[in-house]
Amino acid sequence: DARVTQTPRHKVTEMGQEVTMRCQPILGHNTVFWYRQTMMQGLELLAYFRNRAPLDDSGMPKDRFSAEMPDATLATLKIQPSEPRDSAVYFCASGDTTGGRTGELFFGEGSRLTVL
Amino acid sequence: GESVGLHLPTLSVQEGDNSIINCAYSNSASDYFIWYKQESGKGPQFIIDIRSNMDKRQGQRVTVLLNKTVKHLSLQIAATQPGDSAVYFCAKGGSTLGRLYFGRGTQLTVWP
């Protein structure tokens, strides 16, 4: 059963620490998205990749956030240094747009981050 | 710009009744619209989608209606069950392939 896998599921850290979240997209999917979910803002797009190339990271605070895809099976989202306002659930999602296909994104279970 | 909004943040229905969740959008340059369901502690899950050249699409117990004239989208759930309790998001595809714009979500609560 193909699914998006995210680690860690939960992370509690102190302000100023580095946080790295990892995502394994569904095999064969060519697009990967990072979303952040909070009560106040809902689902916000942070960054997305197509064929491992970053297409849009305008939703991401560049001074502390970075997103990469070292290979097709791994996407990472790093926060350095973390701040309490970064506390949220971070979702990774993958999809297949080959051949101009559009449609659903498959979401992981999320990484719940708490920054104290 | 792109925006998607929901009419009501919460909806409570009795088990067995039909539920209707509404959504409005601002930009018509969208090829498709999608409804997602998010249960507590989980990621959003795809329910049903509809292309912009369609007005209606039906799935199992769910129907999505698209009114392009008033830029309105709705999700109808027939015979709502306790397992339908979740947050429902509408989303629309933007001009960039694969990118989705999400609304804020409606919390559906089903009580016996």
Side-chain angles (χ1 to χ4, degrees):
Chain A
D1 189 20
R3 60 192 180 105
V4 175
T5 304
Q6 289 185 247
T7 57
R9 290 296 314 279
H10 302 274
K11 176 73 175 180
V12 180
T13 191
E14 293 186 343
M15 182 173 62
Q17 296 298 305
E18 178 179 301
V19 175
T20 298
M21 288 166 277
R22 294 177 172 82
C23 168
Q24 181 176 2
I26 292 175
L27 188 65
H29 281 186
N30 68 331
T31 55
V32 174
F33 296 78
W34 283 105
Y35 283 89
R36 175 171 62 185
Q37 187 176 41
T38 61
M39 287 294 293
M40 294 298 294
Q41 300 298 328
L43 275 165
E44 300 175 275
L45 179 66
L46 296 176
Y48 76 94
F49 297 79
R50 185 181 302 149
N51 298 322
R52 293 178 55 203
L55 289 189
D56 184 357
D57 60 1
S58 59
M60 205 164 64
K62 304 283 192 311
D63 57 336
R64 299 184 299 107
F65 284 60
S66 61
E68 297 179 347
M69 276 201 76
D71 61 63
T73 65
L74 177 64
T76 62
L77 180 67
K78 186 178 296 185
I79 309 173
Q80 168 62 24
S82 58
E83 297 181 1
R85 59 180 167 151
D86 300 329
S87 297
V89 181
Y90 291 81
F91 286 102
C92 175
S94 71
D96 181 10
T97 62
T98 53
R101 254 199 299 268
T102 58
E104 66 176 298
L105 292 182
F106 293 80
F107 282 80
E109 298 281 76
S111 293
R112 180 176 295 275
L113 173 65
T114 302
V115 183
L116 303 175
Chain B
E2 308 273 3
S3 75
V4 184
L6 276 155
H7 292 190
L8 290 175
T10 62
L11 178 65
S12 293
V13 300
Q14 190 167 18
E15 182 178 357
D17 286 352
N18 296 334
S19 304
I20 299 176
I21 302 171
N22 296 301
C23 192
Y25 60 94
S26 64
N27 189 330
S28 298
S30 298
D31 292 329
Y32 59 101
F33 299 83
I34 304 180
W35 281 98
Y36 279 86
K37 172 187 179 182
Q38 186 177 23
E39 296 176 332
S40 181
K42 296 187 176 182
Q45 289 180 293
F46 172 91
I47 301 173
I48 191 169
D49 64 354
I50 186 168
R51 299 285 159 176
S52 59
N53 60 354
M54 301 170 68
D55 298 322
K56 179 180 179 179
R57 190 170 186 213
Q58 288 185 291
Q60 187 177 14
R61 282 201 306 119
V62 295
T63 301
V64 57
L65 299 177
L66 176 62
N67 186 330
K68 293 179 285 296
T69 302
V70 296
K71 298 182 181 178
H72 182 270
L73 184 73
S74 69
L75 177 71
Q76 300 178 5
I77 305 174
T80 314
Q81 302 169 0
D84 296 326
S85 293
V87 178
Y88 289 81
F89 293 93
C90 59
K92 69 184 186 75
S95 55
T96 302
L97 196 63
R99 196 209 194 287
L100 291 181
Y101 294 85
F102 282 87
R104 293 300 301 270
T106 289
Q107 171 70 59
L108 174 65
T109 302
V110 182
W111 43 280

